[in-house]
Amino acid sequence: MTTLIDPHNRQLTYLRLSVTDLCNYRCSYCLPNGYQGKAKPDELTLPEIQTIAAAFAQSGTRKVRLTGGEATLRADLPDIIATLNAQPQIQHIALTTNGHQLGKKFPVYRQAGLTKLNISLDSFNPQTFHKITGKDQSQTILRDIETILNTGFTSIKINTLLLREHAQETLHDALDYIRTRPIALRFIELMQTGDNSAYFQQHHQNAAQLEQNLIAQGWQLQPRQPHAGPAREYSHPDYVGNIGIIAPYSQDFCNSCNRLRITAQGKMHLCLFGSVAHDLRPYLNDVGSLKNQIDQLVQQKPEHHYLHNKKVGLITNLSMTGG
């Protein structure tokens, strides 16, 4: 067993694996005109994903997050989850979803081996949610979450983009929601990409003030858990749920980076906002070859991103790699 360690002495135990670029939402900050065309024909196949799962498991990966686009649009998603679950070294299999048909599909995902669920919900207000996403689905998603909670599954996080116009309303609703529910609600700073420069300037809200306000109200920073993502997690004695803050513009954001990313076309990004995508496709028919290639590539992982300098790398929109 080996462990991937980058040149900055960070252990890379977390893989974000995109299984499709396709998305059925029209979020104002990502694909305001919707996804154009059909799913690309060169998406990773199940045998290729099996190779990825085996190679990364042998390289010390302990958590895999499945993303899109919208990952649930792949009909074989239960098979993908089962493929990851077949690797005993992988302890956590997570799914990030917009909640598409979640109530119907979740039992199948759970049976296949899903252990963690992240649901994007940018507002609890139906009108605001529709304005942001182009969909009138917020109440359906919230009902499905209640159904899942009632099964005893509580490893649920809600991802909420921090947008200047809606920040106060959403914070109020979020705090009310998690007061009695065992859910981690995470506020994510809007990140600049290749095609959202004007939108970013208009809507970006720095998370620092929100975080300071939470601390002033008695929220306490919790220790970082093994293989965790980038969120700073806060708890409060009066709340059952937690609040997480993902602040990519904070100075120390990259210090604890433990992540690698693979796109739905088999390109590995050493950093979400890096300027190089490494093609893994030639190695996806042999576990040993892929493992050797991964070992070499991680030695090129940069120390930090360059978002502060408005360098967004190859990312045109976040549907390309699932964020």
Side-chain angles (χ1 to χ4, degrees):
M1 184 68 63
T2 60
T3 301
L4 295 173
I5 300 177
D6 75 5
H8 314 289
N9 204 35
R10 298 174 297 198
Q11 289 193 5
L12 308 177
T13 61
Y14 178 4
L15 173 65
R16 295 182 62 106
L17 177 62
S18 174
V19 295
T20 184
D21 290 340
L22 189 64
C23 188
N24 57 339
Y25 271 41
R26 301 189 302 274
C27 294
S28 57
Y29 52 83
C30 186
L31 293 173
N33 298 317
Y35 187 88
Q36 302 299 307
K38 299 179 180 180
K40 294 183 174 66
D42 58 347
E43 290 179 344
L44 290 168
T45 66
L46 188 60
E48 288 175 327
I49 292 172
Q50 289 172 334
T51 302
I52 290 171
F56 274 85
Q58 293 175 24
S59 299
T61 296
R62 296 294 172 264
K63 178 180 178 180
V64 178
R65 176 170 301 284
L66 297 169
T67 70
E70 174 49 40
T72 64
L73 295 178
R74 273 196 66 151
D76 62 348
L77 184 58
D79 297 324
I80 294 172
I81 295 170
T83 292
L84 297 172
N85 194 41
Q87 300 295 328
Q89 303 97 325
I90 297 177
Q91 302 166 3
H92 309 286
I93 303 170
L95 170 66
T96 294
T97 174
N98 61 26
H100 175 64
Q101 296 187 352
L102 188 59
K104 173 184 177 182
K105 295 181 176 181
F106 175 77
V108 180
Y109 300 154
R110 179 64 173 146
Q111 185 177 17
L114 189 72
T115 63
K116 295 179 180 293
L117 184 63
N118 284 42
I119 303 163
S120 297
L121 187 78
D122 290 319
S123 177
F124 292 84
N125 181 301
Q127 288 75 36
T128 303
F129 182 89
H130 185 269
K131 180 179 179 181
I132 296 172
T133 68
K135 294 286 185 176
D136 185 19
Q137 293 292 321
S138 62
Q139 298 310 297
T140 300
I141 295 169
L142 289 169
R143 285 196 298 269
D144 287 346
I145 292 173
E146 293 296 326
T147 299
I148 294 170
L149 286 172
N150 288 336
T151 69
F153 185 89
T154 58
S155 188
I156 301 175
K157 294 179 180 177
I158 292 177
N159 293 340
T160 299
L161 195 66
L162 191 60
L163 298 173
R164 184 183 303 163
E165 179 183 357
H166 309 297
Q168 289 303 314
E169 173 193 67
T170 305
L171 176 61
H172 177 272
D173 293 342
L175 291 174
D176 185 59
Y177 184 77
I178 65 168
R179 187 180 294 275
T180 58
R181 294 174 177 85
I183 285 178
L185 194 143
R186 308 189 314 168
F187 286 99
I188 305 174
E189 266 191 88
L190 176 65
M191 291 171 276
Q192 187 168 350
T193 61
D195 64 358
N196 78 346
S197 179
Y199 187 96
F200 177 84
Q201 295 300 324
Q202 181 180 354
H203 295 282
H204 178 259
Q205 174 76 41
N206 192 292
Q209 186 60 55
L210 168 62
E211 201 163 357
Q212 292 169 9
N213 290 343
L214 290 171
I215 293 171
Q217 295 170 24
W219 289 83
Q220 297 180 337
L221 184 64
Q222 298 302 297
R224 180 179 172 82
Q225 298 300 308
H227 321 304
R232 291 194 289 267
E233 302 280 355
Y234 288 85
S235 66
H236 192 289
D238 296 337
Y239 291 79
V240 176
N242 294 336
I243 290 284
I245 303 292
I246 298 179
Y249 291 88
S250 63
Q251 291 299 322
D252 60 349
F253 181 74
C254 298
N255 292 356
S256 58
C257 183
N258 58 357
R259 299 175 299 287
L260 294 168
R261 290 173 169 83
I262 297 178
T263 70
Q265 285 71 44
K267 304 289 180 63
M268 188 160 82
H269 289 244
L270 300 172
C271 171
L272 174 60
F273 294 99
S275 57
V276 179
H278 302 275
D279 189 8
L280 299 182
R281 214 102 205 207
Y283 310 95
L284 294 186
N285 59 357
D286 181 78
V287 173
S289 296
L290 178 58
K291 187 173 178 299
N292 290 337
Q293 181 68 2
I294 297 167
D295 289 340
Q296 295 178 38
L297 289 177
V298 298
Q299 299 311 311
Q300 302 176 37
K301 185 171 172 65
E303 185 176 8
H304 51 76
H305 60 59
Y306 293 92
L307 284 178
H308 296 92
N309 299 328
K310 301 187 181 302
K311 295 181 179 180
V312 300
L314 300 175
I315 301 302
T316 302
N317 59 72
L318 293 173
S319 73
M320 293 173 61
T321 60

